């Protein structure tokens, strides 16, 4: 596993330039930095519409230090497919990364994502999931958790959520993992492992959003960590047929070691309206998800 | 029409349908990346290109995407990474691409697309109409419309040269009429690979820029600091469109030297230089309109035909030249802008002086057959009406055949 | 040296620069102040700074770039020894 001492060499290197348009405490900024460290800023990136279209600032300048294409909302997996194919033909190596949000991945761009995944295109797809359409001002997406407040679910989301990473495994791609901005070493390791193999690789990065989830700017990492510690977000890795629970999440296989889910929920204004019954439903969902993932580790061993 | 005696030596002659002619041109252009999604009547293009790639005749990647939107998105990505790329579609497929069409054009990357023209539903209708390709006329694509299978081939091949020219750097769409050209066999002259190679070198991946890992850290398309950058960018697109008119001239000049086949690049003037009346058409039915013109000339009617080859860039200077001095202009639109009328009529009317008679005819929608005698009858009544009344100005007039059993 | 060849892409291509989103230090309401004596040089504040506005120097001490620091306070929240205090701007 990568250590912070190894990363010290980036201590003064601006892989993402400061002075961006991101909100204070933005988790996407953290994820993007870790991604750039993992690949030593040697990759090309395709970004669909979303917060990350705005974050790098205004032309003719950008905070990004790698070649980037901003592209229409639903198009990024297809654009990246063509980009990678052309690079292969030209004999140019190096990762092509899609950096997309939950709207672009789970909803409007789902067909394009599914197409690229099933064709096993040689790209790394990072779903930076802040669990709603944040760039347009907090509307519910396919990954917004049930009961969560958004501006289009004012009394709480009534639908469930798409489990994007499990859906991706069913596309028979070689690599799928979940990650969290609170666990940069785990995320960086996963990006590097993904980069070491070929084909379609998918990393689902949990990215708590202060204005969108209604918690203070300084709690981004705290909330992301609590998601893992309460078992709400499980870190796991599927690598070419083998699924394992990642080390930060291993203790929480044991339900007794998980922190109370209320600790996670109470920090977020989007859950402030929940009833006791709602919380019980959420708890049951967490247990169910853990059962499923543990079973999958037994199936994909 | 191609004068066969003009055709120079090294190529081969084949008979072929229009869709396969597109595929032949793509092969000769040594395209690197192809992506397309099947839709009637374009499907023969994807099928033939897939065969060519599978057989190794064409060393290219064929990306089997799940939609037209992804077809254009993936060839767009390929173009950004320096490849020569091609896609093809029709009708609903073209509309499914719509957002990407604009993004690709404004990204200034060279791309070529064949559009097999077809009506839009409902009702479902796979037959010919130009409304689909004309609906992308504001998007930044150069748009040509062929009138026979040879021209389909020639327009497709020259499109690569045109699109990649540093003075242009805009994508090019080639229209061919669904079934009328796409599925109709005609004689075709195909230049040799050596001749094409000598004239169309591999694409320079650095022009205008390349997105690649480890490459220059450029970002395409983030928000502009000032909105006027957006406006300036569109003004550059306008400049390039204007420049494209000259480049089209040049490219067809070179192509003529290479193959012996010369075209009037933007607009074809058929018996129009001494005409007192001109008809205006675009696409395959121009052949039928020419037959009507010939017959009318034989009967003493001083009429000629203006055939638009490229509707974008809009060839206004040429059109003005040909319209100048005539008594009347009649435009045939195989398209309909709902609530307005014929698209070509609308675009041309501004070039027709107010003292010159004008008629916009909408006909042939949804594949309705318009024969030379239909053209002749409509042209004759226009000329007779103007001669009788001295002046006529009708922007929109429907020519619909009587329906058997209908009302 | 740029390899971009055409003036036509002048207004759609961007290049990296600090402050592409502005001098974001002006957004700040609370400024992080680092207590060098308490600092254990772990680098966590640098690691978790979303704005990349903290430098982790060769000697493993840290400095904040107040031109761009937005004052989100994550550095203070993740510091394991309480060496980063958020102080209201304008208050000395």
């Amino acid at each position: 596993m990568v250590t912070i001492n190894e990363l010290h060499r980036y201590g003064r290197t601006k892989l993402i330039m400061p002075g961006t348009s991101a909100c204070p405490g933005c988790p996407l900024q953290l994820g993007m930095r870790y991604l750039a460290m993992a690949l030593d800023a040697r990759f090309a990136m395709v970004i669909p519409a979303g917060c990350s279209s705005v974050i790098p600032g205004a032309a003719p300048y950008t905070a990004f230090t790698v070649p980037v294409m901003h592209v229409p909302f639903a198009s990024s997996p297809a654009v990246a497919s063509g980009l990678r194919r052309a690079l292969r033909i030209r004999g140019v190596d190096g990762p092509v990364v899609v950096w997309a949000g939950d709207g672009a991945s789970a909803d409007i761009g789902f067909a394009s994502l599914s197409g690229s995944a099933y064709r096993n295109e040689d790209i790394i797809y990072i779903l930076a999931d802040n669990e709603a359409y944040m760039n347009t001002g907090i509307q519910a997406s396919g990954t917004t958790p049930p009961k969560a407040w958004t501006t289009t679910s004012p009394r709480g989301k009534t639908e469930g959520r798409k489990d994007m990473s499990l859906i991706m495994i069913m596309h028979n791609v070689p690599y799928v993992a979940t990650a969290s901005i609170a666990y940069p070493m785990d995320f960086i390791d996963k990006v590097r492992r993904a980069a070491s193999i070929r084909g379609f690789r998918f990393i689902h990065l949990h990215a708590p959003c202060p204005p969108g989830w209604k918690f203070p700017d300084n709690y981004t990492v705290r909330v992301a960590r609590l998601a893992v510690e309460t078992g709400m977000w499980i870190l796991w890795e599927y690598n070419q047929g083998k699924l394992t629970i990642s080390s930060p999440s291993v203790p929480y296989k044991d339900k007794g070691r998980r922190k109370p889910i209320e600790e996670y929920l109470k920090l977020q204004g989007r859950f402030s309206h929940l009833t006791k019954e709602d919380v019980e439903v959420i708890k049951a969902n967490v247990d169910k998800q853990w059962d499923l993932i543990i079973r999958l580790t037994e199936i994909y061993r | 029409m191609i004068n066969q005696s003009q055709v120079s030596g090294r190529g081969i002659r084949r008979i072929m349908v229009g869709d396969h002619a597109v595929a032949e041109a793509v092969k000769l252009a040594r395209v690197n990346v192809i992506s397309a999604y099947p839709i009637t009547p374009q499907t023969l293009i994807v099928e033939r290109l897939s065969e060519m790639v599978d057989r190794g005749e064409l060393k290219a990647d064929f990306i089997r995407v799940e939609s037209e939107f992804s077809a254009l998105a993936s060839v767009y990505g390929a173009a950004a990474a320096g490849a020569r790329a091609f896609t093809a579609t029709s009708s609903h497929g073209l509309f499914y691409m719509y957002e990407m069409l604009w993004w690709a054009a404004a990204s200034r990357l060279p791309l070529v697309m064949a559009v097999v023209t077809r009506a839009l539903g409902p009702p479902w209708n796979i037959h010919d109409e130009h409304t689909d390709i004309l609906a992308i006329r504001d998007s930044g694509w150069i748009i040509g419309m062929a009138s026979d299978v040879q021209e389909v081939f020639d327009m497709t091949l020259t499109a690569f040269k045109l699109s990649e020219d540093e003075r242009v750097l805009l994508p090019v769409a080639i229209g061919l009429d669904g079934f009328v050209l796409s599925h109709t066999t005609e004689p075709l002259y195909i230049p040799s690979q050596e001749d094409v190679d000598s004239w169309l070198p591999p694409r320079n991946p650095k022009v205008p820029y390349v997105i690649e890992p480890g490459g220059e850290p450029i970002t395409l398309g983030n928000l502009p600091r000032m909105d006027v950058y957006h406006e300036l960018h569109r003004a550059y697109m306008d400049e390039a469109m204007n420049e494209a008119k000259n480049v089209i001239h040049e490219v067809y000049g070179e192509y003529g030297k290479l193959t012996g086949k010369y075209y009037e690049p933007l607009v074809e003037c058929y018996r129009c230089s001494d005409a007192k009346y001109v008809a205006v058409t675009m696409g395959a039915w121009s052949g039928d309109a020419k037959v009507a013109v010939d017959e009318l000339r034989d009967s003493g009617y001083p009429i000629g035909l203006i055939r638009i080859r490229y509707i974008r860039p809009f060839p206004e200077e040429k059109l003005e030249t040909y319209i100048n001095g005539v008594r009347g202009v009649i435009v045939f639109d195989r398209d309909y802008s709902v609530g307005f009328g014929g698209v070509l009529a609308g675009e041309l009317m501004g070039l027709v002086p107010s003292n010159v008679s004008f008629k916009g005819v909408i006909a042939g929608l949804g594949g309705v057959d318009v024969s030379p005698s239909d053209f002749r009858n409509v042209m004759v009544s226009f000329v007779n009406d103007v001669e009788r009344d001295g002046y006529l100005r009708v922007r929109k007039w429907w020519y619909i055949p009587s329906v058997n059993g209908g009302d | 040296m740029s390899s971009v060849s055409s003036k036509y892409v002048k207004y759609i291509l961007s290049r990296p620069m600090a402050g592409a989103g502005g001098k974001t230090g002006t957004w700040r309401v609370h400024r992080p102040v680092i207590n060098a004596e308490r600092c254990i040089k772990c680098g966590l504040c640098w690691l978790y700074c979303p704005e990349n506005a903290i430098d982790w120097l060769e000697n493993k001490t840290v400095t904040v770039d107040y031109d761009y620091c937005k004052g989100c306070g994550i550095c203070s929240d993740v510091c394991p020894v309480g060496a980063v205090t958020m102080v209201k701007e304008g208050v000395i």
Side-chain angles (χ1 to χ4, degrees):
Chain A
M1 189 179 249
V2 63
T3 63
I4 192 161
N5 284 330
E6 186 196 323
L7 299 179
H8 184 236
R9 67 194 175 99
Y10 297 113
R12 303 187 69 177
T13 312
K14 302 302 175 192
L15 297 178
I16 308 291
M17 293 291 185
T20 68
S21 307
C23 305
C26 177
L28 303 180
Q29 283 284 87
L30 290 171
M32 188 76 85
R33 255 182 87 204
Y34 305 146
L35 169 69
M37 287 188 212
L39 299 175
D40 199 28
R42 253 191 99 79
F43 60 106
M45 188 158 55
V46 179
I47 302 177
C51 289
S52 298
S53 317
V54 180
I55 286 172
Y61 305 111
T62 173
F64 298 146
T65 61
V66 298
V68 173
M69 292 180 84
H70 291 282
V71 298
F73 211 173
S75 71
S76 51
V79 172
S81 302
L83 197 73
R84 192 73 206 87
R85 300 272 194 129
L87 293 172
R88 190 191 57 74
I89 289 167
R90 289 184 45 231
V92 178
D93 208 4
V96 170
V97 178
V98 173
W99 175 272
D102 41 301
S105 308
D107 300 339
I108 194 169
F110 188 71
S112 174
L113 169 61
S114 177
S116 295
Y118 114 97
R119 292 193 306 271
N120 199 24
E121 298 284 354
D122 188 25
I123 58 182
I124 298 174
Y125 191 103
I126 313 262
L127 160 48
D129 189 358
N130 52 23
E131 299 187 343
Y133 291 87
M134 296 312 182
N135 195 38
T136 42
I138 324 167
Q139 294 81 34
S141 80
T143 70
T144 301
K147 314 281 184 194
W149 168 91
T150 68
T151 60
T152 53
S153 57
R155 286 197 278 177
K157 192 188 175 198
T158 47
E159 301 86 0
R161 56 176 293 172
K162 288 192 200 179
D163 196 324
M164 289 302 292
S165 20
L166 293 183
I167 290 169
M168 284 301 118
I169 292 182
M170 293 302 125
H171 282 70
N172 287 317
V173 300
Y175 188 89
V176 179
T178 61
S180 162
I181 55 98
Y183 296 87
M185 305 309 160
D186 177 68
F187 176 47
I188 289 171
D189 279 347
K190 283 169 175 168
V191 172
R192 287 183 176 172
R193 261 197 297 285
S196 72
I197 55 182
R198 283 290 158 105
F200 193 89
R201 296 142 286 168
F202 184 88
I203 300 177
H204 191 166
L205 178 67
H206 197 230
C209 166
W213 298 13
K214 298 198 176 297
F215 61 79
D217 298 344
N218 58 333
Y219 277 6
T220 304
V221 174
R222 181 185 290 236
V223 169
R225 192 175 287 141
L226 273 169
V228 173
E229 290 171 343
T230 56
M232 286 286 290
W233 185 254
I234 308 170
L235 297 174
W236 53 262
E237 182 180 50
Y238 169 89
N239 190 349
Q240 299 164 92
K242 187 174 162 61
L243 194 147
T244 48
I245 292 171
S246 308
S247 54
S249 276
V250 166
Y252 311 114
K253 277 163 84 170
D254 175 0
K255 192 178 168 183
R257 295 181 68 180
R258 293 175 209 157
K259 286 189 177 172
I261 279 161
E262 289 85 347
E263 286 192 30
Y264 175 68
L265 300 176
K266 75 180 182 200
L267 291 182
Q268 304 172 49
R270 64 173 174 162
F271 291 124
S272 62
H273 60 287
L274 294 196
T275 62
K276 264 208 167 74
E277 292 72 34
D278 290 338
V279 174
E280 289 312 310
V281 171
I282 291 172
K283 283 182 178 171
N285 284 341
V286 169
D287 292 345
K288 220 169 98 186
Q289 184 72 3
W290 268 101
D291 285 348
L292 176 61
I293 297 298
I294 289 169
R295 276 191 210 183
L296 287 175
T297 62
E298 288 155 7
I299 294 165
Y300 295 113
R301 48 198 304 149
Chain B
M1 292 294 283
I2 304 305
N3 180 345
Q4 292 296 328
S5 65
Q6 291 175 346
V7 172
S8 69
R10 301 213 278 169
I12 51 166
R13 280 168 224 280
R14 287 277 182 277
I15 54 164
M16 205 174 277
V17 298
D19 275 0
H20 289 166
V22 169
E24 287 297 324
V26 168
K27 185 178 108 178
L28 279 175
R30 296 191 188 276
V31 163
N32 308 117
V33 176
I34 299 157
S35 182
Y37 189 79
I39 179 169
T40 307
Q42 172 272 131
T43 311
L44 299 183
I45 300 177
V46 278
E47 289 177 341
R48 177 54 61 92
L49 285 169
S50 300
E51 288 163 15
M52 288 170 167
V53 171
D54 254 22
R55 287 200 296 252
E57 293 169 17
L58 172 56
K59 285 188 179 50
D61 263 29
F62 185 94
I63 310 179
R64 272 182 295 275
V65 286
E66 78 295 337
S67 73
E68 288 89 354
F69 180 81
S70 284
L72 181 55
S74 60
V75 295
Y76 164 73
R84 183 170 286 159
F86 173 82
T87 186
T89 189
S90 179
S91 179
H92 290 264
L94 182 67
F95 280 40
Y96 204 56
M97 286 180 177
Y98 204 66
E99 183 191 21
M100 273 316 295
L101 290 166
W102 294 64
W103 197 274
S107 296
R108 307 306 302 267
L109 291 166
L111 271 178
V112 175
M113 168 172 69
V115 177
V116 186
T117 57
R118 167 185 151 176
L120 289 139
W124 283 119
N125 184 335
I126 56 172
H127 295 140
D128 185 25
E129 186 180 312
H130 300 163
T131 308
D132 56 356
I133 195 166
L134 285 171
I136 70 166
R137 67 193 183 281
D138 301 336
S139 66
W141 285 66
I142 289 172
I143 302 169
M145 217 30 223
S147 66
D148 57 33
V149 169
Q150 183 68 53
E151 194 176 19
V152 167
F153 175 88
D154 297 336
M155 265 194 176
T156 308
L157 193 48
T158 49
F160 293 97
K161 188 88 168 174
L162 173 60
S163 183
E164 291 169 18
D165 192 289
E166 291 196 54
R167 295 163 292 175
V168 178
L169 295 171
L170 290 168
V172 180
I174 303 307
L176 59 150
D177 290 78
F179 295 104
V180 182
L181 293 182
S182 67
H183 287 62
T184 302
T185 305
E186 287 181 16
L188 174 67
Y189 172 76
I190 302 175
S192 70
Q193 184 72 62
E194 301 76 54
D195 281 352
V196 173
D197 288 347
S198 69
W199 165 75
L200 182 69
R203 193 187 146 204
N204 179 350
K206 305 272 185 205
V207 178
Y209 56 88
V210 65
I211 301 290
E212 57 188 13
E216 191 185 351
I218 47 174
T219 281
L220 167 91
N222 61 327
L223 311 178
R225 174 145 300 196
M226 295 190 289
D227 288 342
V228 72
Y229 291 171
H230 193 102
E231 204 162 51
L232 287 164
H233 183 64
R234 292 302 186 273
Y236 270 151
M237 290 176 78
D238 192 55
E239 184 182 308
M241 272 286 180
N242 260 326
E243 196 58 42
K245 294 177 195 173
N246 300 324
V247 178
I248 289 169
H249 266 269
E250 276 179 37
V251 167
Y252 279 98
E254 295 164 13
Y255 192 71
K257 280 183 199 145
L258 190 77
T259 61
K261 291 176 295 172
Y262 290 92
Y263 289 91
E264 285 182 85
L266 294 167
V267 175
E268 180 189 357
C269 156
Y270 182 77
R271 305 185 78 166
C272 75
S273 49
D274 63 338
K276 292 201 169 55
Y277 292 89
V278 288
V280 181
T281 58
M282 190 173 83
W285 70 353
S286 306
D288 300 312
K290 284 176 182 174
V291 172
V293 164
D294 288 342
E295 289 171 6
L296 289 174
R297 281 282 177 153
D298 291 345
S299 337
Y301 283 88
I303 192 163
L305 181 81
I306 294 173
R307 177 172 74 87
I308 296 171
R309 294 190 70 230
Y310 287 89
I311 186 69
R312 288 292 180 278
F314 187 61
E316 59 185 281
E317 299 86 354
K318 275 284 163 199
L319 291 169
E320 270 177 332
T321 306
Y322 292 137
I323 288 168
N324 184 32
V326 301
R327 210 174 289 166
V329 176
I330 181 166
V331 179
F332 290 90
D333 267 291
R334 193 164 207 160
D335 60 77
Y336 172 51
S337 165
V338 182
F340 176 76
V343 171
L344 300 182
E347 297 218 331
L348 257 93
M349 203 169 180
L351 304 178
V352 179
S354 57
N355 60 347
V356 172
S357 292
F358 183 88
K359 188 170 189 175
V361 181
I362 297 167
L365 299 191
V368 167
D369 187 46
V370 181
S371 66
S373 65
D374 290 321
F375 275 112
R376 196 181 58 227
N377 293 340
V378 174
M379 289 174 185
V380 161
S381 64
F382 174 64
V383 173
N384 289 346
D385 287 351
V386 175
E387 290 294 326
R388 189 188 60 237
D389 300 337
Y391 182 70
L392 173 78
R393 198 89 177 176
V394 180
R395 185 169 56 78
K396 177 174 66 182
W397 183 76
W398 286 85
Y399 180 73
I400 300 179
S402 62
V403 180
N404 273 348
D407 53 3
Chain C
M1 220 1 225
S2 171
S3 64
V4 175
S5 64
S6 173
K7 69 169 181 176
Y8 286 155
V9 292
K10 180 176 172 185
Y11 295 109
I12 49 166
L13 294 186
S14 297
R15 289 177 177 75
M17 199 181 75
K23 275 266 194 272
T24 51
T26 59
W27 302 8
R28 201 169 49 242
V29 179
H30 293 89
R31 72 162 46 206
V33 176
I34 291 160
N35 182 335
E37 283 166 22
R38 263 198 205 174
C39 172
I40 57 167
K41 305 180 178 181
C42 67
L44 284 181
C45 57
W46 164 82
L47 181 68
Y48 286 114
C49 173
E51 203 48 41
N52 219 354
I54 296 178
D55 279 353
W56 194 19
L57 305 178
E58 283 70 14
N59 65 7
K60 298 209 170 177
T61 61
V62 290
T63 59
V64 179
D65 184 346
Y66 292 108
D67 280 350
Y68 298 117
C69 166
K70 292 168 180 167
C72 70
I74 289 178
C75 49
S76 175
D77 195 52
V78 299
C79 178
V81 294
V84 186
T85 318
M86 299 306 291
V87 179
K88 199 163 169 49
E89 284 291 345
V91 179
I92 300 166

